[in-house]
Each structure stands twice: as structure tokens, then as C-alpha cells.
Amino acid sequence: MYKSSHPQRPSPCVVAFLILFFLLLAGAGVRPLGAQPLAQGLDRFLGGGTSADISRYLIKYWNQVTPGNDGKWGSVEFAQGTYYWTNLDKIYNYVTTRGLLYKHHTLVWGQQQPGWITSLDSAGQRQAVENWIKAVGQRYPKMNFIDVVNEPIRAPAAYKQALGGDGATGWDWVITAFELARKYCTPGVKLLLNEYNILQDNAMTDSYIALINLLRQRGLIDGIGIQGHYFEFRSDTRSANQYAYSLTTLKGNLDRIAALGLPIYITEFDVDEPDDAVQLEQYKIYFKLLWNQPAVKGITFWGYIEGDVWTSHPYTYLLKANGSERAVVPWLRNYVLMPLPPLALSPNGSNAEVRNPRLVWNTAPLATAYRLQLTTARAFNTTLLDTTLADTSLQLGKLDANGRYYWRVSARNDKGESDFSAVAFFTTGTTSGVIDPAESAPADFTLEQNYPNPFNPVTTVAFRLAADAKVDLCIFDLLGREVATLFHGRLAAGTHQLHFDGSALESGSYLYTLKSDHFRVTRRMTLIK
């Protein structure tokens, strides 16, 4: 038996308010209560690949979206001249109205192309490709990124001859595709190249870098895509045929690509493991390897929710179908808010270094403190110094002459501590150069560490005078040659700031000295261009 009840009806004003509230909640740019993309506020994104059914927790976790199959040529123009945009429009409109980043995938790819393309002659193919690129560029002007050519090495397009074939460069067809994308896409859309199985193979990395350089020399490429599927790093733990590529090789080749100076995007990252604990264990290896490279400006998970993943890799999802999180998600939520490992800048690799050098490292975003270790043992099984400090430099006291020293630094905040930087080293000589201000200068005359440091190309030098004084503030290279004079003359007592523009200097370390009749103080600054 059912019990009947007749609750009091809400007033018309309340009803109107509720209707307005839910309309606003569903509208563009409004996220549900509690929604917080994992990479919110960071200098890089975390994204998800998705199909046209895009309402499943997407904006709760990700601030970038890539269509899976819906943006591929074969999915849109399966009949020549007839475009099926419905699914792609749905994703694009959902993403752009909510202020997320949209990356189109993909314009040219040999694996998924319209079946009719091979029936055309070369001129017909060339025109069809241009029509397709033009149609995408004009229909989706708010794209942020676009995979112009997908897998050019592993899966070249069957119609590549129509775009110029190998030609004089060996990659004329890829260059033509990028020229068309640059022509028809809205200015500011970042054009990307995308490929897989790159990092584990030195020769493949060589080939990829050579192709990237051809595009870069022509001003046609804005970012580098590396897919990052699990199988590109190792076999899944359930496979009968186990393999795991060298982490040193993977990191070394990632660093080589980063050295090209373009942002890197990990476009299709996944870890195919059904056991939550195993998936998390592998994330702690491979996600960290990629995320800790400063040139990586975004990672897109290739299928983030159960039921919308690559069918041949069914356990890559991060969310179960009901929206509950696998173990990796809480770890990710915390890890991406930890600082990245700092870069040990100077001294590094130098011989005959002064016996009391100043150790300098870069500022790690999100860091509130740094841990520095100094040792004479390369393995750091013993340390001479293990200290925590807030600054990005440390003035050492006198070390032994003609000694080899190693140092490294990590970054910390309330979320945890980063990995240590790559190890830096130096060998001392017999002389001392940089004088510790605390030991040499009167307490009432001070020279501050320049800020920012390292800098490019402008920095500020602050100092305090306890009394009127005639002072010189000069910049020297490490050979003691004066390269700039910031001030020469008399100053009143008080705090002073001077700006230094290092545009005319080469990257490297320099000394700056404040001197008068009664004191002399020297510090080190680092210019990085």
C-alpha cells in the first residue's frame, strides 16, 4: 500500500529561481558544483579523448578534449562531397562553449581515410585533400590545436604522391599538408605533427627530429605530438611476451626532442592494466617521466572512461562506467599539484671552479622550498650537505682545493616533494672568487641576490647603504672582465634598486660587485636565453 502525501507547493518565485539556476548550470562556461579540472591553473593541461557522447564527467576532470574517431576524414566524408559533421559539431560546441581547449584529430592519416580517395587520379586526390582541410579550418575556427599529419613515418597516406611525395626534402607531402593547414586554419591555431613508437628507438627519434626541423625551418609547426600509448613503453603485465624499453633511452630521447624548443604534447597516453594497483604503479613510472619534462605542455588520456576506450586496449580507463574513480585518479590529483624537479644551473661541468661557489638552480613552479644535497660521491650514498631552503641559490663556504663535487636539488610544497634534478658536478681549483657577503661586508651595507635569477634578459639588483657613499656596481664575466657598469657615483643612504638588461650578453654565469672605499661585495647571477 502506498501512502499519499501532498507537500506544500513552492511559490512561483522559487520555481522561477530553480529554473533559472538549472538553465545557468547547463549553459556555456558554467561547471557543476565541485567540478575542478585536475590541471586547473597550471601552465599545462590534462585532457581526455572522447566520442560524440561527451557528457560523462568530462569537465569535472579535464581542461582539454580531443575527438577520437569523430574528427577523422573517413568518419566525416565517407561519401565524396558529403560531410557528416553532426558528431564532431557536438564535441566542438560542447568544448568551446565551456572554455576548454579543443584539439582536432586529424587531417591527414594513412590508416583512416575515405575509401573513395584511392579511385581518384593524382589531381583529384590533391583537390580532395585541400577541400577537406579547408572545410575543417573554416568550420572550426576556435580550434586550439590540430594534428595536421598523424603517423607520417609509421602510416604514410596512400595519396601522399598527390601532395608531392617524398620530393626534394624526403617529406614534401607532409610539408604540403602543413602549408594547406596554415593557409586555411585560423591564425593562432597550433599545428602539430603526431607519431608513435618514437622515444624507445634512437633511430626513430632521429627521423622524427629531422622531419620536425624541416617544418620548423619553414615556420609550419607549432608543437610536437608524441602519442604515449602503454605499448610504446612496455608490454602489459599480463602479456606472455614481456618487454620493457629502457627508461634512460625514453627520457634521453624525450630530452632530445625538447631541445628543439617547441612545446611537446603527449597526445594519446594510456596504461592498459585491469588491476588498479598495477595501473597506478605504472603511472608512477611513465606519467612522471613525461610530466616532469618542462617542455611537455599537455597530456591527453586516450579514453578516460570505461566503455569509451580503444577496444584493443580495454583497461586504459581512469573512471568506471558509473563515474567512480580508479586508484590512479586521486594520485594524479595530488601529483600534478606538486612542483616539477628544478634544473641545476651552475656550476655544472666546470673545472677550476672557485672553492666557495654559489650553487644556482631555476625556480620550480608551485615550489615553496627546495632541498639541496652536496657530496663527493656520485651515488649520493653520503652527503656533505643536505639542507632545505627557500631561495634558488646557496653560497657555499670554502671547499677542498682540486676536489670533485656533485650536487642536486628537489622542490617541495604541501603536496609533496619532486624528484631530484639531474646531478650537476664541478671540480674546484685553488682560488676563491665569490666572497660571502655575510663574512666580508659590514652588517649595515648589503647587496641582495638579483631577482629574478636566472633571468632573461632583465633582472633587478637591490642593495642598501647605511651612509652616503661613492659606489660602483659592475658586472663581470667569470674571467674577471668587466662587461657592464650599472652605477658609478655617490648615493645617499637607504635602499636602492637598479635594473640590468643582459640582451647584449651570451647565456651564462656572471659576477656583480658592489664596492666602495670601505666595503666590497660580490654575488653571482645567471643569464639564460
Side-chain angles (χ1 to χ4, degrees):
M1 175 177 259
Y2 295 99
K3 185 177 180 180
S4 176
S5 63
H6 299 281
Q8 184 178 0
R9 293 180 180 178
S11 70
C13 290
V14 172
V15 171
F17 171 80
L18 291 173
I19 292 172
L20 177 61
F21 173 79
F22 286 110
L23 285 174
L24 287 172
L25 191 64
V30 178
R31 294 190 171 95
L33 296 176
Q36 180 69 44
L38 302 187
Q40 183 80 3
L42 302 184
D43 67 345
R44 53 188 59 195
F45 63 74
L46 288 177
T50 189
S51 64
D53 180 15
I54 39 74
S55 60
R56 297 136 310 140
Y57 315 105
L58 194 150
I59 61 175
K60 181 179 179 181
Y61 294 92
W62 318 126
N63 49 9
Q64 181 271 330
V65 177
T66 302
N69 285 320
D70 295 308
K72 296 169 184 173
W73 193 9
S75 300
V76 176
E77 195 184 4
F78 41 80
Q80 186 177 8
T82 301
Y83 296 95
Y84 177 77
W85 299 111
T86 303
N87 287 346
L88 193 55
D89 281 353
K90 184 177 181 182
I91 297 173
Y92 173 82
N93 291 330
Y94 181 94
V95 171
T96 56
T97 58
R98 285 162 176 78
L100 309 181
L101 298 170
Y102 175 86
K103 180 166 78 66
H104 186 82
H105 178 76
T106 174
L107 294 180
V108 174
W109 185 29
Q111 290 285 8
Q112 284 186 248
Q113 57 197 18
W116 49 263
I117 191 70
T118 55
S119 66
L120 303 180
D121 61 18
S122 183
Q125 290 179 343
R126 171 65 171 72
Q127 188 60 56
V129 173
E130 181 164 359
N131 291 344
W132 159 241
I133 294 175
K134 180 179 180 180
V136 171
Q138 292 181 344
R139 191 172 187 89
Y140 304 115
K142 296 180 182 178
M143 293 185 293
N144 301 97
F145 314 92
I146 187 166
D147 291 331
V148 179
V149 180
N150 192 43
E151 301 175 9
I153 302 173
R154 300 287 185 181
Y159 46 86
K160 76 173 198 176
Q161 290 303 126
L163 299 178
D166 295 337
T169 66
W171 292 103
D172 280 15
W173 68 279
V174 174
I175 292 171
T176 299
F178 272 80
E179 288 173 340
L180 292 172
R182 188 69 87 198
K183 178 179 179 180
Y184 290 117
C185 290
T186 303
V189 174
K190 296 185 185 300
L191 307 187
L192 309 185
L193 192 67
N194 198 35
E195 188 56 273
Y196 75 98
N197 267 350
I198 293 293
L199 301 180
Q200 45 90 0
D201 186 323
N202 292 334
M204 279 292 294
T205 301
D206 290 341
S207 298
Y208 204 42
I209 288 174
L211 174 52
I212 292 164
N213 278 331
L214 287 172
L215 295 167
R216 188 176 63 161
Q217 290 160 8
R218 292 161 173 79
L220 294 174
I221 188 169
D222 304 306
I224 302 166
I226 299 172
Q227 290 187 12
H229 293 293
Y230 193 33
F231 63 77
E232 299 179 54
F233 308 131
R234 58 157 299 149
S235 58
D236 65 71
T237 57
R238 298 157 287 126
S239 174
N241 300 312
Q242 289 290 308
Y243 66 89
Y245 296 118
S246 162
L247 289 174
T248 300
T249 299
L250 294 171
K251 183 180 184 305
N253 285 328
L254 182 62
D255 291 346
R256 290 172 60 202
I257 294 174
L260 297 176
L262 291 170
I264 296 172
Y265 302 96
I266 308 303
T267 56
E268 302 176 30
F269 184 78
D270 56 39
V271 172
D272 185 24
E273 293 287 358
D275 184 277
D276 284 6
V278 175
Q279 187 190 48
L280 175 57
E281 177 185 18
Q282 298 305 312
Y283 258 88
K284 289 181 177 179
I285 298 171
Y286 298 107
F287 182 86
K288 287 175 66 174
L289 181 147
L290 300 169
W291 188 258
N292 285 349
Q293 167 52 250
V296 171
K297 295 304 180 184
I299 295 181
T300 302
F301 301 101
W302 202 236
Y304 66 91
I305 190 167
E306 186 177 14
D308 188 18
V309 297
W310 196 1
T311 54
S312 56
H313 298 276
Y315 303 111
T316 57
Y317 57 90
L318 305 179
L319 304 177
K320 296 178 182 178
N322 64 3
S324 61
E325 299 174 352
R326 296 185 69 182
V328 69
V329 177
W331 176 83
L332 269 176
R333 183 179 286 111
N334 186 78
Y335 185 76
V336 299
L337 296 180
M338 291 169 54
L340 298 180
L343 177 64
L345 298 174
S346 69
N348 189 7
S350 58
N351 293 311
E353 183 64 50
V354 293
R355 290 176 58 187
N356 54 340
R358 178 173 290 275
L359 306 183
V360 179
W361 55 95
N362 74 319
T363 300
L366 306 179
T368 57
Y370 301 90
R371 179 186 179 190
L372 182 134
Q373 293 183 334
L374 176 73
T375 182
T376 56
R378 181 69 172 81
F380 283 82
N381 48 356
T382 61
T383 58
L384 300 174
L385 181 67
D386 191 337
T387 186
T388 300
L389 60 164
D391 202 357
T392 55
S393 67
L394 177 65
Q395 177 66 60
L396 297 178
K398 283 188 179 180
L399 304 173
D400 290 341
N402 302 315
R404 172 63 68 91
Y405 294 88
Y406 304 90
W407 66 283
R408 62 186 184 181
V409 62
S410 65
R412 294 177 171 179
N413 64 15
D414 62 345
K415 300 297 182 181
E417 182 173 348
S418 74
D419 292 341
F420 276 105
S421 64
V423 174
F425 68 93
F426 59 92
T427 302
T428 55
T430 58
T431 61
S432 299
V434 178
I435 299 172
D436 187 347
E439 297 176 354
S440 64
D444 48 2
F445 290 87
T446 58
L447 174 64
E448 303 297 334
Q449 182 65 49
N450 65 296
Y451 182 84
N453 189 52
F455 66 101
N456 177 26
V458 177
T459 190
T460 299
V461 177
F463 56 94
R464 190 170 72 86
L465 305 177
D468 292 359
K470 183 179 180 181
V471 298
D472 291 286
L473 181 57
C474 302
I475 314 291
F476 300 87
D477 65 20
L478 296 185
L479 297 177
R481 296 174 298 197
E482 184 176 326
V483 297
T485 298
L486 297 190
F487 185 83
H488 171 72
R490 180 167 292 278
L491 286 173
T495 300
H496 303 273
Q497 288 187 343
L498 296 172
H499 301 294
F500 172 57
D501 188 339
S503 299
L505 300 180
E506 299 292 331
S507 295
S509 292
Y510 295 87
L511 306 177
Y512 60 104
T513 297
L514 179 68
K515 66 179 181 178
S516 185
D517 293 337
H518 307 294
F519 65 93
R520 180 187 180 99
V521 188
T522 300
R523 285 185 177 271
R524 184 189 295 255
M525 60 172 57
T526 301
L527 171 63
I528 298 179
K529 294 184 176 181

